[in-house]
Amino acid sequence: MVQNINGRKMMDYLTIIIIFGLAILWELATINKNVKKMNEQNAELINLYNDRSKRNQ
């Protein structure tokens, strides 16, 4: 394993970095999923608006 003069300190830092990295990836994936959902909802609203506009002409 990775060790330096201070024993397990280097391993602890690596573990913390990996955990933070995974947390950031999880957040990005969640944000991406929410953005996709919002885009679908916006497309649906635009279609409804366009349909109503056509009917009112």
Side-chain angles (χ1 to χ4, degrees):
M1 284 301 202
V2 179
Q3 283 188 343
N4 66 356
I5 299 165
N6 294 333
R8 291 190 50 86
K9 215 167 215 166
M10 189 69 160
M11 193 65 192
D12 291 343
Y13 289 139
L14 285 175
T15 303
I16 289 170
I17 289 170
I18 289 169
I19 289 170
F20 273 104
L22 289 173
I24 290 168
L25 287 175
W26 181 265
E27 286 298 319
L28 288 174
T30 304
I31 290 168
N32 189 40
K33 189 175 77 171
N34 290 340
V35 167
K36 282 183 180 179
K37 197 182 297 183
M38 282 175 24
N39 284 341
E40 290 169 2
Q41 290 172 344
N42 286 343
E44 195 174 330
L45 286 172
I46 289 169
N47 287 337
L48 288 171
Y49 175 79
N50 288 338
D51 290 344
R52 179 168 267 186
S53 294
K54 287 177 189 173
R55 275 190 266 138
N56 288 340
Q57 284 179 352

